[in-house]
Amino acid sequence: MTSKPDRGLVEFNSEECKGCGLCVEACPPKVLRLSEQLNHYGYHTAEYLGAGCTGCGICFFACPEPGGIAVLRREVAA
Amino acid sequence: MGSFTLTHERPDCFYDRFERKSELQHQTHYCPGCGHGIVHKLLAEAIDGLGVQDRTILVSPVGCSVFGYYYFDVGNVQAAHGRAPAVATALKRSLPDKIVVAYQGDGDLGAIGTAEIVHAANRGEAITVIFVNNGIYGMTGGQMAPTTPLGKKTATTPFGRDALNEGYPLHICELLASLEAPVFLERVGLGNNKQIMGAAKVLRKAMENQVKGLGFSLVEVLSPCPTIWKMDPVEAQRFVREEMAAVFGIGNYRDRTATATPRPARPAPPKLEELPGILGLGNGDRDRLPCGETSAVDYRIRVAGFGGQGVLMLGEVLAEAGLDAGYHVSWLPSYGPEMRSGTSNCHVRLSSRPIDSPLVSQPNVLLALNEPSLHKFLPGVEPGGIVLYNGDAIPEGCGRGDVRMVALPFTRIADQIGVSKAANIVILGALLEATDLVENEQATAALHKLVKSPKWFDIDVQAMERGREEMRKTTMPVSDDYLWGV
C-alpha cells in the first residue's frame, strides 16, 4: 500500500484526442497509455492508468491539441 | 481524496470552438502528432502568460498553418505566400502598440518568402517571427523544401536530395545572424520533453522582446511532420531530435536583448496637404484636378521610337499638359533595359472621363519617331485618327486611307535649330497645331515643369513653335472631320 497520495491528476478530452501517443511517450512516470477503445472518430485515445501522476504537466505541452489534456495538482495543506 | 486544482488547461487565447466548418469544431485540422499543434499551444501559453491577447495580431501564412485565424482568438490577418513579414511590417508600423506575430512554415519563409524575411530582419522590424521548420512541404504533398536534409527522398527528389542538384539545406537562423539588426534568433526543437519545454521558454522570450519593444525576434522550431515523413508521431519526434537537429543546430544565434534599447517611435508622417510642397509641386496644382467640365474627349496616344529620342519625355509633356487642361490623364512607359537605342514607346491617355485602363492598344494619335515604329503601330490606329511620322514621306506600303497621315522630317527640323534631340518637341508643336489637344500655354507650362534647365526650356519652346510652323505649311487639310469624340 502506498502511503503518499498522488500529487497530480490528468484528464483527457477523448473527443479532442487524435491518438498520436506523444503524451504516452512524454510522461515521465509512464502512467499513460493508448486505449484499446476507439473514440467517436476512430482514434485509440490516450488514457490515464489511474495512479502515479505527478502533475508535472509535460503531457499537456507535448499534446498538439489545444484542449486534449488538462493537468491538475493536489493542493498542499498549509 | 483531497482536492486538486487545474494547473494546465486549454489556453484562453484559443477560440472555444473552431468554426472552420460545420463539424469537428472542437479539434484542429492538423494531423495526429503534428508539430503545429504543439507550437500553437506554446504560443498560446506565451500570449496568455504575457497578458497580451487583446493586442496581439497573428499573421497566418500559406501552408498547413494557414488556418491559424480559426484557432487563435486574437487579431488575425492571413498573408499571401511568403509575405507574412511584409504584412507584419505594415501592421507593426501602423499599429506600433500591437504585438505582431508572423507565423510561417519553411516553404513559406525559406522558399517563396526568403526575400521578405531577410529584409524584414535586416530592417530590424519589431515583430516576432515563428518559423516552423519541418524540412519538407506538408500541405502540398511532400515536395522538397529548401530545408530538406541532404539525401532525403521527397516527392520531387525521388533519389534523395543532392547538393549538386538542389543545393544545401538552408540555415535561416545562421543566415539572419549575419545581419546587424536582429535582436533575437534562436532555433529550438520539438524532439523530446526537454526540447519542448525549452521551446516554450524561448517562444515566450521572443514574445516578451516585442512587449518590451526591442526589435526583430525569430524562433525557428524544428517540428515533426509524421504524415509526410511517413512515420508514426513518436518516430517523427525521434527524426526531429536525431536527424533534423543534426543538420540544424539547436541553440541561440543572436541575443542582444540585454543591451538592446526599445526602438524609438517613428516620426509622424507628413499631412496630406504638405505633400505637394514636399514633392515640389507647388500649391496651385490641387486646383487643377479634373473638374469634368471639359467637353467629352478621349485622346489615346501612342508615342514610339528608339530609346534616346525623347519618346517617354514627349508622352510626359502631353500628360502633364493634359492635367493642366483639366483632363484625366495616364502615362505608361514601355521600354527595354537599354538606356539608349532599343525600342521605346509609351501610352498616354487624356480623357474627360476617368480612365479605365492606361493601355492604348487602339490609338487615335500615333507619333512615330522612326520607321519600325510606324510599321508596328500603324495597323492598330483607329479609323479617323492622326499619325505624325518622322520622315520626308510616308514609306511605301504604309499608307492608310482612313487615317490622317503627316510625314515631316522632325529630326532635320530640330537640326536646323541646332539640337537634333529636340525633335520630340518639334513633333509636339506639330501635333498641337494639327489638333486642339491642349492650349499652347498648357504645353509650355508642362515643359517648364519637366525641363529643369532654362537653356533647354528655351530650346524646347523654340522647337515647339517650329513644329507648329512646319505643320501649318503642310498641304494637308486641317479639318474637324478628323476629331474624334468619345
Side-chain angles (χ1 to χ4, degrees):
Chain A
M1 284 287 120
T2 52
S3 54
K4 287 175 79 177
D6 288 336
R7 282 176 287 159
L9 184 65
V10 56
E11 289 178 348
F12 289 93
N13 179 342
S14 64
E15 290 301 286
E16 265 194 54
C17 178
K18 291 171 177 167
C20 72
L22 289 181
C23 57
V24 177
E25 181 73 11
C27 177
K30 297 294 168 206
V31 295
L32 307 179
R33 69 171 174 199
L34 290 183
S35 159
E36 297 285 313
Q37 309 294 319
L38 297 174
N39 74 354
H40 183 61
Y41 305 102
Y43 292 121
H44 288 287
T45 58
E47 62 182 11
Y48 178 36
L49 292 178
C53 177
T54 62
C56 70
I58 296 259
C59 57
F60 169 81
F61 290 104
C63 173
E65 286 300 313
I69 294 179
V71 177
L72 302 87
R73 275 186 202 152
R74 182 180 296 282
E75 281 174 9
V76 183
Chain B
M1 212 23 217
S3 59
F4 286 90
T5 49
L6 266 170
T7 52
H8 299 82
E9 60 177 326
R10 202 176 198 278
D12 288 338
C13 88
F14 285 120
Y15 286 114
D16 291 336
R17 299 194 73 75
F18 308 138
E19 298 189 348
R20 189 170 72 86
K21 43 187 186 177
S22 55
E23 46 180 352
L24 297 174
Q25 292 189 347
H26 55 282
Q27 56 180 220
T28 64
H29 72 292
Y30 297 117
C31 304
C34 175
H36 277 305
I38 300 175
V39 180
H40 279 25
K41 190 178 275 179
L42 301 183
L43 176 61
E45 284 283 304
I47 293 171
D48 285 356
L50 292 166
V52 292
Q53 182 185 358
D54 288 345
R55 57 187 184 110
T56 295
I57 302 176
L58 181 73
V59 184
S60 305
V62 169
C64 286
S65 49
V66 62
F67 292 136
Y69 51 86
Y70 280 114
Y71 304 135
F72 286 92
D73 185 5
V74 297
N76 283 289
V77 175
Q78 198 269 318
H81 206 359
R83 314 305 179 225
V87 173
T89 296
L91 287 165
K92 187 66 184 180
R93 288 193 179 194
S94 46
L95 302 166
D97 293 337
K98 303 299 177 198
I99 306 301
V100 180
V101 184
Y103 188 109
Q104 301 182 265
D106 47 327
D108 192 77
L109 181 143
I112 193 168
T114 323
E116 275 76 7
I117 193 63
V118 168
H119 290 290
N122 192 42
R123 295 189 304 265
E125 299 296 341
I127 58 174
T128 304
V129 180
I130 294 167
F131 169 38
V132 180
N133 176 4
N134 61 10
I136 198 161
Y137 277 78
M139 191 179 74
T140 50
Q143 294 80 8
M144 192 203 84
T147 43
T148 300
L150 287 178
K152 276 287 151 194
K153 289 183 180 177
T154 70
T156 45
T157 54
F159 306 110
R161 181 177 188 169
D162 177 2
L164 287 176
N165 209 37
E166 289 92 29
Y168 292 87
L170 200 61
H171 292 77
I172 291 292
C173 279
E174 289 86 334
L175 199 69
L176 298 184
S178 70
L179 304 173
E180 190 52 39
V183 165
F184 185 77
L185 302 167
E186 185 151 343
R187 185 181 289 125
V188 298
L190 300 178
N192 57 22
N193 291 348
K194 194 177 162 208
Q195 288 186 1
I196 292 172
M197 298 317 287
K201 222 170 122 185
V202 171
L203 272 172
R204 180 174 165 123
K205 182 165 171 119
M207 292 293 289
E208 207 173 358
N209 292 342
Q210 191 177 165
V211 174
K212 291 177 182 165
L214 294 187
F216 186 88
S217 298
L218 178 141
V219 182
E220 175 174 344
V221 186
L222 303 180
S223 174
C225 182
T227 302
I228 297 294
W229 287 120
K230 302 182 179 66
M231 297 169 182
D232 69 47
V234 174
E235 171 67 5
Q237 212 174 38
R238 183 207 59 78
F239 177 79
V240 166
R241 186 171 66 241
E242 294 175 8
E243 299 189 47
M244 289 290 282
V247 179
F248 301 98
I250 286 176
N252 184 275
Y253 290 84
R254 170 72 55 83
D255 188 353
R256 293 186 179 160
T257 52
T259 51
T261 48
R263 283 168 68 90
R266 289 170 192 281
K271 292 188 174 67
L272 187 62
E273 53 268 29
E274 294 167 3
L275 286 179
I278 293 168
L279 298 172
L281 294 175
N283 289 327
D285 289 26
R286 281 176 65 85
D287 304 332
R288 295 204 306 273
L289 291 176
C291 56
E293 286 171 9
T294 46
S295 57
V297 286
D298 184 18
Y299 294 104
R300 299 185 304 281
I301 307 166
R302 199 72 184 260
V303 190
F306 63 78
Q309 279 188 312
V311 167
L312 306 186
M313 163 73 177
L314 174 49
E316 251 185 305
V317 175
L318 286 169
E320 190 66 45
L323 199 61
D324 211 6
Y327 293 128
H328 294 271
V329 303
S330 66
W331 172 77
L332 183 72
S334 166
Y335 50 88
E338 309 92 338
M339 287 302 284
R340 294 289 181 271
S341 79
T343 59
S344 169
N345 72 81
C346 64
H347 312 238
V348 180
R349 288 193 65 179
L350 274 64
S351 175
S352 52
R353 294 183 187 170
I355 290 167
D356 46 5
S357 164
L359 281 176
V360 175
S361 47
Q362 271 198 306
N364 49 25
V365 177
L366 171 62
L367 307 179
L369 276 71
N370 62 8
E371 191 175 333
S373 302
L374 185 68
H375 286 292
K376 186 171 178 187
F377 295 109
L378 181 64
V381 175
E382 195 177 72
I386 181 169
V387 177
L388 298 191
Y389 170 61
N390 181 20
D392 292 312
I394 299 292
E396 209 155 310
C398 260
R400 262 184 66 176
D402 59 344
V403 296
R404 179 180 174 196
M405 297 187 71
V406 180
L408 278 171
F410 294 107
T411 304
R412 225 172 41 240
I413 297 166
D415 281 341
Q416 289 164 9
I417 56 172
V419 191
S420 59
K421 277 164 77 180
N424 58 342
I425 307 300
V426 181
I427 295 184
L428 174 66
L431 178 67
L432 298 186
E433 184 63 31
T435 67
D436 58 356
L437 199 104
V438 293
E439 299 299 327
N440 208 44
E441 305 81 71
Q442 289 156 346
T444 310
L447 280 172
H448 189 68
K449 186 168 284 179
L450 292 166
V451 180
K452 302 292 178 206
S453 141
K455 179 190 141 203
W456 275 100
F457 174 71
D458 291 343
I459 289 169
D460 283 341
V461 170
Q462 203 187 333
M464 194 159 71
E465 191 43 48
R466 278 302 303 273
R468 281 187 175 276
E469 281 168 25
E470 294 294 332
M471 192 68 198
R472 279 196 291 269
K473 284 190 226 162
T474 61
T475 52
M476 300 297 228
V478 180
S479 152
D480 280 353
D481 296 347
Y482 293 101
L483 294 180
W484 39 84
V486 173

